[in-house]
Structure formats: C-alpha cells, structure tokens
Amino acid sequence: MVKDLLAALAVVVNGIPQGLLALMYGFAALPTALAFLAGVGGSLYFNSVATISFQAETIALAGNLGKDIRERLSMVFWGAVFLLVPSLLGLNEAIVSWIGPAVVDSMMAGVGLMLANVSVDMLKSEKYSGSLSVAVALAVWFWTRDLAWTIIVSVTAATLLYNYLLRVRRMELDRLSADVGNEKFRFGNIEWRFWRSRRVFSGALAMACINIGANISFGKITGSIAQVNANVDHLAIYSSAADIVSTLFGGSPVESIISGTATAPHPVLSSVMMMGIMAALLIFRLLPTIGRYVHRSSIAGFLLVLGVFVTFINNAALAISAVPPEALNGFGFAPWGMVVGATIFASARWNPFVGLVAGTAIRMIFHL
C-alpha cells in the first residue's frame, strides 16, 4: 500500500506543472476534478491500469487552436464526443490500423514540434525566468534524462527567480496569468452548433486525433510496464467521458499518460489513488493557489524538452521504423518519406487532423 501511494504521489507532482499550463490557457481547475473522478470510476469499472491526467500536448494544442476559452472548451468537448462513438463500438484500434503506425507516429512527432514552438512563446512572455527555465531544463535533462526531475527543478528555479525579481527587486515584469476568480462551475460555455464554426469543428477533429494517438501509445506503454494488456477502447471511453464532464463546466482536458503508477505493486489501486489525490487538490483549490506564484514562462524549459527530445524525436524514430526497410534508401525522395515528412509538417504547422489527412492522402496516392 505504501509503495502504491508513493508512486501515485510522484505522478501527482509530475502533473502539477501541466495543470498550471491549463490554468494559463483559461481552463478552470475546480471542474477538472470531475475529469479525475471520471477517471477513478472508469479505472475501477474496467479494472484498467491506464491513468489519465493533465497532458501538455493536449492542453497546448487546445490553447493554440482556440482564440478564446469558449472555443477551447468546445474543441475539447466535441473532440471527446467524436472519439467516444468509435470507442463504444470498439473501433479505435481498427481505425489506427487502417491509418497506419507510420502516419500516427508522424502526427505525434509533429505535435512535439508544436510544443517546442509553444515553449519559445512562453519564454518570450517573461525573458528572465523563461531563459532560466530553458537553461536549467536542458542541463537537468542532459544530466539525468529524467523528465520528472526536469519538470520539478526547472519550474522551481524559474519560479524562485521570477518572484525574487518581482517582489524583492521590484522589477516591472509580466504579471501572473492564473485567475483564482475563475474557479467555479460554469455550465455550458460550449459552441453547441459546432458545424457553424470552422475553427471549432477542425479543432475538435484535431483533439480527437491527438487523443487517439495518446491512447494507443501512452496507454499501451503504461500497460506494458504493468505487464498487462491495456484495452484502448476502454481507456478512450473513460478519458472521453472525463473530457466531456470537465469542459461542460469549464474545466481542462485530460488524457492518457505514461504513468509511474504502472510500476506499483497494485497498479490499478495506485492509479486510482493518483487520480483521487489530484481531484482532491483541485476541489480544495490548491492548484490555483500555486498558480498565483508560478509564471507561465517557468514551464518553457519543460515544454522544450518534452517537445523536442521526448515527443518529436521518439515518435519520428517510431514512424521511420514503421516503414518497409527497402523504402529507407533515398528516404526523402521515396513515397514513404513523403508520407512521414508531410504528416509531421502539417501536424506541426496546422493541427493533428490535417496531418493525418495529409499522410493518409499520400499513402492512397501511392497505394502504400
């Protein structure tokens, strides 16, 4: 039981900076507790080891695609609805098999580049703490290659510098963006006629696509660590339900993560503990309290490392390894090279749905 709790607490600590990122895009923490409670229910009902939590890729994608909080909530809500339908029919893995691992992994690689671009914007929002965040994150990552330590040390260092410059040196800096007054349940700030907004419709498709990729990759990895077969459709059902109930009241998106709870003696129990603890933190409004002292620039270094060294390069390698070996000669000029390159570029430049369409279209053109 103690080891289960310690593993859960480690994942909670890892999720807090990403929760702060959600606050900075205008999502409320309090209603996001509903998402974690839905995760608890889903994990218990399906006896699933797969954990859902704040995930920077999804939050940053929604934050970038939506111009205001209503659009962001609408994209996440409808994306979850779109994903829930095939999940209930047990079609997720069939869809991914039809698209092909090379295209799905290329899409995730493109999301990594998008995250890196977001990190640059965050650095620019407050150059002193942002620069320190990037420098410390790179140093810790190169030394440890441990993402959890990279998050904790870089965010802590940047936050200490920011508060020192602001409160002790009295420098004129960009003010903190977490709004404690936003912490309430606001029902239905959703664009119900999503088909009337091109931005919301395309954004919802993008959210569904990135969650398909995350459920397949992160869910399967967590299952393999726990030495069980994670059912992707079950995971997609409760992760989609979590997004629906959260955004319906103004909360943040959550998604499948690679969770350290899978290493615990009782991985399902540890996962439930983690999501329950996070729900309690949100209910007692502790995350927004932390957000009053942590500037968004403090997350710049973590996002850069996550985007470039984890999400982009790992998924790019997986995408290339998924193509036939004979296609690797003159890869850039070969059809498979076009598939991978176009999917990564389109996903990073526009959104994951455009990336999947581009990659799938080229596959069909060349009958791959």
Side-chain angles (χ1 to χ4, degrees):
M1 180 72 75
V2 174
K3 290 183 179 179
D4 295 320
L5 179 59
L6 290 175
L9 289 173
V11 179
V12 168
V13 171
N14 186 52
I16 286 175
Q18 301 178 70
L20 294 174
L21 178 64
L23 299 188
M24 293 165 191
Y25 279 116
F27 296 106
L30 180 60
T32 311
L34 298 175
F36 286 96
L37 293 176
V40 169
S43 188
L44 289 172
Y45 182 80
F46 292 114
N47 195 35
S48 172
V49 300
T51 308
I52 59 173
S53 185
F54 294 112
Q55 182 65 282
E57 291 95 331
T58 306
I59 296 165
L61 179 64
N64 279 352
L65 294 182
K67 71 177 188 295
D68 55 38
I69 188 59
R70 181 178 175 84
E71 285 194 350
R72 293 165 188 161
L73 291 170
S74 301
M75 291 173 182
V76 178
F77 177 86
W78 287 113
V81 172
F82 294 163
L83 183 57
L84 183 61
V85 175
S87 303
L88 291 170
L89 297 174
L91 297 177
N92 264 316
E93 295 203 36
I95 292 172
V96 172
S97 296
W98 179 76
I99 295 172
V103 176
V104 174
D105 292 330
S106 297
M107 175 199 73
M108 296 300 291
V111 172
L113 293 180
M114 184 203 71
L115 275 180
N117 284 325
V118 171
S119 76
V120 174
D121 292 336
M122 289 194 167
L123 185 155
K124 292 178 181 177
S125 70
E126 204 296 289
K127 61 182 180 180
Y128 299 106
S129 56
S131 298
L132 181 64
S133 174
V134 170
V136 171
L138 291 174
V140 175
W141 176 254
F142 291 160
W143 182 262
T144 67
R145 290 186 291 280
D146 187 310
L147 194 59
W149 278 111
T150 301
I151 296 171
I152 294 167
V153 177
S154 63
V155 171
T156 301
T159 299
L160 290 173
L161 176 64
Y162 176 80
N163 284 279
Y164 170 75
L165 295 177
L166 182 68
R167 303 172 194 280
V168 178
R169 297 290 299 275
R170 305 288 183 181
M171 292 179 63
E172 289 294 326
L173 302 176
D174 181 64
R175 289 285 176 170
L176 301 161
S177 57
D179 181 10
V180 180
N182 191 37
E183 291 307 310
K184 58 185 70 174
F185 290 94
R186 290 191 176 93
F187 179 78
N189 190 19
I190 304 291
E191 178 56 65
W192 298 109
R193 300 178 181 180
F194 64 87
W195 58 89
R196 303 182 106 181
S197 171
R198 178 179 172 183
R199 192 197 305 267
V200 170
F201 185 46
S202 63
L205 292 173
M207 298 303 299
C209 290
I210 192 175
N211 277 310
I212 287 175
N215 289 337
I216 290 288
S217 56
F218 301 157
K220 288 291 188 183
I221 291 172
T222 299
S224 66
I225 295 171
Q227 298 182 339
V228 298
N229 181 35
N231 187 301
V232 175
D233 288 303
H234 291 170
L235 169 58
I237 289 171
Y238 63 85
S239 67
S240 296
D243 277 345
I244 289 170
V245 297
S246 176
T247 53
L248 194 59
F249 293 94
S252 167
V254 296
E255 73 171 38
S256 173
I257 62 170
I258 300 174
S259 179
T261 57
T263 64
H266 307 95
V268 175
L269 174 61
S270 184
S271 177
V272 168
M273 284 180 172
M274 178 269 155
M275 292 183 283
I277 292 169
M278 189 65 86
L281 290 176
L282 301 180
I283 290 171
F284 289 106
R285 294 178 168 85
L286 295 180
L287 187 65
T289 301
I290 298 171
R292 294 172 62 185
Y293 300 93
V294 181
H295 192 273
R296 62 182 177 275
S297 61
S298 66
I299 307 175
F302 150 63
L303 285 183
L304 182 66
V305 169
L306 177 65
V308 176
F309 300 118
V310 179
T311 307
F312 167 68
I313 200 64
N314 280 334
N315 284 284
L318 288 172
I320 293 172
S321 67
V323 307
E326 60 272 15
L328 296 178
N329 294 323
F331 188 59
F333 298 92
W336 274 113
M338 299 178 197
V339 170
V340 172
T343 306
I344 292 175
F345 169 73
S347 299
R349 176 60 182 84
W350 289 288
N351 65 61
F353 175 69
V354 176
L356 286 185
V357 170
T360 303
I362 294 173
R363 278 193 64 194
M364 295 175 69
I365 289 171
F366 288 102
H367 305 288
L368 298 175

